[in-house]
């Protein structure tokens, strides 16, 4: 692999609190690995409750001045950040590919997509219109004005290490709120690189903070600190339920984007070439690791055989490899060993219960976290993959 993360100018092993780059109080760090090679690529500060509290306090201290700015003034800073992100698209994409394995072209696409949220919400902040409501009494006037909530907290997953972070920061900042972000432990560097650029864009200290490390400890603070008004989370359903429960104890607003088990339905009268392309896009993007990946593909019997043949031909043409390779890789590795093991477990379970492998069906010869792009038929609801997210490059066909 040609890209050396540690020598990139956007690489940071420290976390970002109140405009300062900081080590954990204990000095502890987590090793971060390239999912494609298993090589260590860098280190991230292993912070806990004490540092999370400091980050919330920094966000609280920054709130009055950020809130006092006009939306137009905030938008100017946000757009400077947006422009720097696009200028540094290549580095940001390489960082993302290094830490999550996503093929480089998809990482570049995500950086542009991620920046679009900043532009959108910089503009939306200017349109935070209120409302007037006709009153029942003659001597009353009812006016609704919208105010920023205050400190917000975001906990994000590894599968969109850039866009899932900007998607949470941008609406908060555009509205005049400040934020503490806890990125996924697998992918701290994309979020930290975004913070480098936010600082360069002139984001006032404390408006954006990024804390890495012990998820339950940091999450405990973000869901209980009195200054935090809103928690936004994208991740697994069990963790989402836990965080909602923790926030519920303090009646904090929560915004949750959890797992899915998306169906894809192909009827007899479908345009099959079109349907195949849509399955490819939906199922195999990011090696099948998105929460809206089609996880159950129902195909009407009249077109089943033709559809499955076309799909298999397309899947067998995929190039599997290191996402950073120049050679137009379509499918990278799974994010980690647990992810690869889960895919293998689901496929073995399906085969044991009668599924037939049309292509793939085993770990890839590249080894490590790689799994062959797979199409299965005769899948039924007794199988694990019918009710659990596989989160891998496996297309299960139901006749
Ligand atoms: P995934 O299976 O996609 O990794 P998780 O829900 O485990 O999904 O992780 C999503 C995010 O939630 C990550 O940033 C992770 O560190 C965080 N997380 C996991 N457990 C907790 C917890 N107990 N408290 C707070 N955050 C958590």
């Amino acid at each position: 692999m040609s890209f050396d993360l540690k020598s990139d100018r956007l690489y940071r092993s420290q976390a970002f609190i109140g405009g300062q780059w900081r080590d954990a109080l204990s000095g502890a760090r987590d090793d971060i690995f390239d999912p494609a090679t298993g090589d260590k690529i860098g280190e991230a500060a292993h912070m806990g409750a004490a540092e999370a509290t400091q980050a919330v306090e920094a966000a609280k201290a920054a709130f009055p001045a950020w809130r006092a700015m006009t939306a137009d003034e905030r938008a100017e800073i946000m757009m400077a950040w947006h422009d720097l992100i696009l200028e540094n698209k290549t580095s940001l994409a390489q960082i993302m590919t290094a830490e999550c394995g996503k093929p480089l072209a998809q990482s570049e696409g995500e950086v542009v997509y991620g920046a679009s949220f900043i532009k959108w919400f910089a503009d939306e902040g200017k349109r935070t219109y209120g409302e007037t409501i006709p009153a029942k009494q003659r001597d009353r006037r009812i006016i609704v004005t919208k105010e920023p909530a205050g400190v917000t907290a975001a906990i994000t997953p590894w599968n969109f290490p850039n866009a899932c972070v900007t998607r949470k920061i941008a609406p908060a900042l555009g509205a005049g709120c400040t934020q503490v972000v806890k990125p996924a432990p697998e992918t701290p560097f994309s979020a930290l690189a975004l913070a480098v650029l936010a600082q360069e864009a002139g984001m006032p200290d404390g408006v954006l903070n990024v804390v890495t490390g012990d998820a339950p400890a940091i999450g405990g603070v973000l869901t209980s600190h009195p200054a935090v008004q809103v928690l936004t989370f994208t991740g697994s359903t069990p963790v989402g339920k836990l965080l909602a429960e923790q926030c519920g104890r303090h009646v904090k607003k929560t915004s949750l984007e959890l797992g899915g088990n998306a169906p894809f339905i192909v009827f007899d009268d479908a345009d099959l070439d079109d349907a195949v392309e849509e399955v490819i896009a939906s199922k195999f993007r990011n090696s099948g690791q998105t929460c809206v990946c089609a996880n159950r593909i129902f195909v009407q019997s009249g077109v089943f055989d033709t559809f499955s043949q076309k799909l298999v031909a397309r899947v067998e043409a995929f190039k599997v490899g290191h996402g950073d390779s120049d050679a137009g890789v379509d499918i990278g590795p799974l994010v980690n060993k647990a992810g690869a093991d889960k895919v293998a477990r689901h496929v073995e379970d399906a085969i044991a219960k009668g599924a037939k492998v049309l292509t793939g069906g085993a770990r890839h010869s590249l080894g490590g976290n790689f799994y062959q792009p797979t199409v299965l038929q005769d899948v039924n609801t007794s199988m694990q993959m019918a009710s659990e997210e596989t989160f891998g490059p496996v297309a299960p066909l139901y006749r």
Side-chain angles (χ1 to χ4, degrees):
M1 174 173 156
S2 50
F3 176 65
D4 177 23
L5 175 70
K6 278 185 163 173
S7 62
D8 193 278
R9 81 169 191 92
L10 300 182
Y11 169 74
R12 292 290 182 283
S13 60
Q14 293 172 307
F16 187 60
I17 298 176
Q20 308 287 316
W21 291 95
R22 300 249 316 261
D23 287 310
L25 292 169
S26 68
R29 289 181 172 191
D30 293 313
D31 292 340
I32 311 297
F33 302 94
D34 178 341
T37 60
D39 295 342
K40 177 177 159 181
I41 51 169
E43 296 176 357
H46 186 78
M47 295 184 156
E51 297 92 334
T53 304
Q54 290 170 346
V56 171
E57 280 161 7
K60 183 180 173 191
F63 175 59
W66 185 247
R67 152 191 218 159
M69 291 171 80
T70 65
D72 202 37
E73 289 165 336
R74 287 192 294 264
E76 226 168 88
I77 297 172
M78 291 173 71
M79 283 309 295
W81 186 33
H82 165 273
D83 294 348
L84 282 174
I85 289 171
L86 294 185
E87 277 167 34
N88 288 275
K89 180 176 92 169
T90 305
S91 278
L92 290 167
Q94 285 173 320
I95 291 169
M96 195 187 319
T97 293
E99 64 183 357
C100 81
K102 186 172 293 193
L104 200 55
Q106 292 183 31
S107 296
E108 285 183 0
E110 181 179 333
V111 173
V112 175
Y113 173 63
S116 76
F117 294 115
I118 299 171
K119 182 172 194 294
W120 182 269
F121 286 105
D123 286 339
E124 284 298 286
K126 301 175 207 167
R127 303 190 191 100
T128 314
Y129 303 130
E131 211 178 347
T132 58
I133 298 172
K136 185 167 154 58
Q137 292 102 324
R138 290 183 177 192
D139 60 346
R140 303 289 154 89
R141 187 179 295 175
I142 302 173
I143 301 166
V144 177
T145 56
K146 293 186 181 168
E147 303 285 342
V151 177
T152 61
I155 299 180
T156 57
W158 49 261
N159 59 344
F160 289 92
N162 178 299
C164 205
V165 172
T166 56
R167 184 194 279 207
K168 294 190 182 310
I169 298 170
L173 267 52
C177 296
T178 57
Q179 190 162 88
V180 178
V181 181
K182 191 210 83 63
E186 295 84 352
T187 58
F189 301 127
S190 290
L192 294 167
L194 286 168
V196 173
L197 296 174
Q199 194 171 33
E200 287 178 7
M203 192 83 73
D205 293 350
V207 168
L208 169 63
N209 307 271
V210 180
V211 182
T212 54
D214 180 340
I218 297 167
V221 171
L222 299 183
T223 54
S224 67
H225 194 295
V228 177
Q229 302 297 326
V230 181
L231 176 92
T232 165
F233 169 78
T234 299
S236 65
T237 305
V239 174
K241 285 179 175 172
L242 175 74
L243 295 173
E245 191 186 309
Q246 289 175 196
C247 283
R249 283 180 223 152
H250 306 274
V251 200
K252 291 191 194 307
K253 285 185 185 168
T254 55
S255 170
L256 307 175
E257 185 196 9
L258 307 180
N261 198 12
F264 189 105
I265 306 172
V266 185
F267 289 109
D268 280 345
D269 63 353
D271 174 332
L272 295 187
D273 293 321
D274 210 16
V276 166
E277 286 315 308
E278 295 298 333
V279 168
I280 294 294
S282 161
K283 172 73 253 182
F284 291 96
R285 187 164 60 119
N286 199 16
S287 304
Q289 302 172 111
T290 90
C291 57
V292 293
C293 274
N295 214 31
R296 298 171 293 151
I297 302 165
F298 299 98
V299 187
Q300 208 167 356
S301 43
V303 293
F304 190 95
D305 294 335
T306 317
F307 175 82
S308 61
Q309 282 158 16
K310 283 175 183 278
L311 180 65
V312 166
R314 199 57 182 76
V315 169
E316 287 181 342
F318 276 143
K319 186 168 168 73
V320 180
H322 194 299
D324 198 29
S325 114
D326 300 328
V329 161
D330 304 295
I331 305 280
L334 280 308
V335 72
N336 54 26
K337 183 174 182 304
D341 289 349
K342 183 180 189 189
V343 173
R345 203 166 58 241
H346 274 197
V347 173
E348 282 158 23
D349 168 76
I351 293 170
K353 290 174 181 160
K356 184 173 157 214
V357 177
L358 296 181
T359 187
R363 289 178 193 264
H364 198 276
S365 57
L366 289 168
N369 301 325
F370 285 95
Y371 198 88
Q372 294 177 5
T374 295
V375 180
L376 302 177
Q377 73 169 33
D378 301 332
V379 177
N380 64 51
T381 54
S382 74
M383 300 169 185
Q384 279 173 18
M385 64 175 60
S387 52
E388 275 180 56
E389 272 184 301
T390 304
F391 240 57
V394 178
L397 305 185
Y398 296 69
R399 190 184 289 268

